Amino acid sequence: MTTTALADPPQGVENTEAQPDGIRTARPRRRLTFGWAIALPVPILLLIGWHLGVQNAWTLPFDIKMTFLPTPGEVAVRGVDFAFGGIYDDSFSGTLWGHLGASALRVLQGFGLAVIVAVPLGVLMGRSKLLFRMLEPTVNLVRPIPVTAWAPLTLLIIGFGDRSTVFLVFIAAVFPILLNTISGVHQVPGRLLEAAAMLGTPRLQSLYKVVIPAAAPQIISGMRIAMGLSWVILVVGETVGISTGLGALITQAREQSRTDLIIVGMVVIGLAGFIADRLLTLIFAIAFGRRPIQK
């Protein structure tokens, strides 16, 4: 009996392959993705609404008076000057990269320390019922304390400067990573560990050869949440005793009533957090290959 090759199906229709046993498996559906084109309408509409709101002096809920805001064009001009200088030539002109570099370094230090502490501790708590019962009440007692409440204490026991900011970022990042790691380890199927034991894998090695890869999706999800929180808390840590950084920039702009510069600082923090999240996702996609991770 002869078989004939199937022509490629129309776009959007799943293609299949015939297997020796007669079972047909579906290939990944070819989809035309529009990428950024799909996401563009929302920010464009927000910018249009922002411009119209300022020009027409709208008052939004929570008594937000848009007449006090600069227009998107004014913010864009300030942003270009902040990045490259040559427009206003004031003390903020061309200083973006110094502020961004200082803030990114603090976020990286605090976030990295949180990963080093939270992932191993989360794996151990997820695998040891005794350790979980010992530490879980303390973790859930400390976790609800807001980072803003830690800030005054941090200034007293650590002092002003980078170390207090790094510590606040660490406090903000450690709990999402820890809780997601514990949850991911709890959900690792027992049969995976049984299979590893049957193949002669020592119990300690199974933690990083079996448990961590299997729990990777939730660990990564916790890291992404923690990365976002790190940029949020960064502003709190940089408001006092620090002269360089995006939080320090926003504080100085507030003291001088430079609304356009405040918004520029907010936009830069948003973009930095967005890029950091995408880089984190890319790193794990490369590290884990085809293993399903949070996208």
Side-chain angles (χ1 to χ4, degrees):
M1 187 169 84
T2 60
T3 59
T4 57
L6 294 176
D8 288 340
Q11 186 173 2
V13 178
E14 289 188 357
N15 196 358
T16 58
E17 285 183 338
Q19 300 298 323
D21 56 2
I23 300 175
R24 304 178 74 83
T25 59
R27 291 179 183 174
R29 180 177 296 178
R30 297 177 181 177
R31 297 176 180 176
L32 180 62
T33 57
F34 294 96
W36 292 103
I38 298 177
L40 281 177
V42 174
I44 290 175
L45 289 174
L46 288 175
L47 290 173
I48 293 173
W50 175 6
H51 181 79
L52 293 175
V54 174
Q55 285 203 331
N56 296 291
W58 289 352
T59 299
L60 302 182
F62 302 101
D63 200 29
I64 299 174
K65 297 180 176 60
M66 297 197 67
T67 187
F68 296 117
L69 293 176
T71 64
E74 293 170 342
V75 172
V77 172
R78 170 58 71 179
V80 172
D81 179 74
F82 182 45
F84 306 107
I87 299 177
Y88 297 107
D89 291 326
D90 56 17
S91 60
F92 298 104
S93 297
T95 61
L96 165 64
W97 311 111
H99 289 294
L100 179 60
S103 292
L105 181 60
R106 293 171 189 133
V107 167
L108 183 62
Q109 290 174 335
F111 176 80
L113 183 60
V115 171
I116 293 173
V117 172
V119 172
L121 182 59
V123 171
L124 294 176
M125 290 180 64
R127 293 301 305 162
S128 172
K129 293 182 179 180
L130 176 61
L131 189 63
F132 180 82
R133 290 175 181 173
M134 289 176 58
L135 298 180
E136 188 270 341
T138 302
V139 169
N140 282 299
L141 176 66
V142 177
R143 181 173 60 90
I145 301 175
V147 177
T148 50
W150 283 94
L153 179 63
T154 302
L155 294 177
L156 291 174
I157 62 178
I158 298 179
F160 299 99
D162 288 354
R163 288 180 299 176
S164 60
T165 303
V166 171
F167 177 76
L168 291 176
V169 171
F170 165 79
I171 291 294
V174 70
F175 292 110
I177 301 174
L178 177 62
L179 295 180
N180 276 270
T181 301
I182 294 172
S183 177
V185 171
H186 277 160
Q187 296 178 29
V188 174
R191 64 179 181 274
L192 291 180
L193 294 171
E194 293 173 0
M198 292 176 61
L199 293 173
T201 304
R203 190 170 182 180
L204 183 61
Q205 291 185 15
S206 67
L207 291 180
Y208 62 86
K209 288 186 176 181
V210 179
V211 174
I212 292 180
Q218 286 202 249
I219 297 175
I220 294 169
S221 178
M223 289 184 183
R224 293 184 65 189
I225 296 172
M227 177 61 75
L229 288 175
S230 297
W231 285 98
V232 171
I233 298 305
L234 175 76
V235 178
V236 178
E238 290 182 340
T239 53
V240 180
I242 292 178
S243 59
T244 304
L246 296 173
L249 165 77
I250 292 175
T251 302
Q252 296 167 20
R254 181 199 63 192
E255 294 171 350
Q256 300 178 23
S257 299
R258 305 282 290 275
T259 312
D260 56 347
L261 197 56
I262 293 175
I263 297 177
V264 168
M266 294 168 61
V267 171
V268 172
I269 290 175
L271 290 174
F274 177 82
I275 293 173
D277 178 78
R278 288 298 182 266
L279 287 175
L280 192 64
T281 304
L282 177 62
I283 290 171
F284 283 116
I286 294 173
F288 289 94
R290 295 181 177 271
R291 183 177 299 277
I293 63 173
Q294 194 74 18
K295 293 185 178 180

